[in-house]
Amino acid sequence: MKKMIIIVLSLVIIGGGLWYYIYNGPMKEKEGKKAIEEYMTAQNVNLQDVTELRTGVDFLSGVYIEAYVTNADSENEYIYSYSRNSEKPYDVNLLVMKDGSEQTGKNVKYPKLTRE
């Protein structure tokens, strides 16, 4: 009887871990790529004009992140993060960095979108 309980608990733990990995890995990446592409299109970013610096999923927070530099604004790094639970438009947050400091306003060619 104890062996059966241990086997069932082990299967539940392994199954839960596998589901968590798939949900926060490949599924979150697919959703994030689509949402960030839609956001960039709404910003009028030429998607052929961007250089991807890094991408990834933060498994603890479930946030998907992509960082880009555009040829039109090569001084700034655009960091997009996707979270389905966000209250921002498109569930995407944008952070624009230059030399380690956040840029806003006229220093940015592609500003953050505001909720309409």
Side-chain angles (χ1 to χ4, degrees):
M1 184 67 171
K2 286 185 181 181
K3 278 187 175 182
M4 184 60 93
I5 292 173
I6 292 173
I7 290 172
V8 169
L9 285 176
S10 297
L11 290 174
V12 168
I13 291 171
I14 291 171
L18 185 60
W19 174 84
Y20 183 80
Y21 170 77
I22 291 172
Y23 176 75
N24 277 330
M27 287 179 61
K28 185 66 75 171
E29 182 175 351
K30 183 178 177 182
E31 291 173 2
K33 280 188 179 295
K34 182 179 178 193
I36 290 171
E37 185 176 314
E38 289 174 2
Y39 190 92
M40 291 173 78
T41 301
Q43 286 181 297
N44 295 320
V45 174
N46 181 358
L47 298 177
Q48 306 301 320
D49 191 36
V50 298
T51 303
E52 184 176 86
L53 299 177
R54 60 188 173 278
T55 65
V57 175
D58 179 358
F59 283 96
L60 294 177
S61 64
V63 175
Y64 176 72
I65 300 170
E66 289 185 358
Y68 292 98
V69 172
T70 65
N71 292 336
D73 187 12
S74 61
E75 294 183 8
N76 291 321
E77 179 180 338
Y78 291 82
I79 304 169
Y80 297 88
S81 59
Y82 166 79
S83 173
R84 186 178 350 183
N85 300 328
S86 175
E87 293 184 13
K88 297 179 177 15
Y90 307 102
D91 298 330
V92 173
N93 186 32
L94 171 63
L95 180 64
V96 182
M97 300 293 287
K98 178 181 178 183
D99 298 328
S101 62
E102 184 176 0
Q103 301 295 304
T104 58
K106 295 179 182 178
N107 299 333
V108 177
K109 180 165 175 86
Y110 305 108
K112 295 178 183 181
L113 298 178
T114 58
R115 187 171 284 241
E116 296 177 6

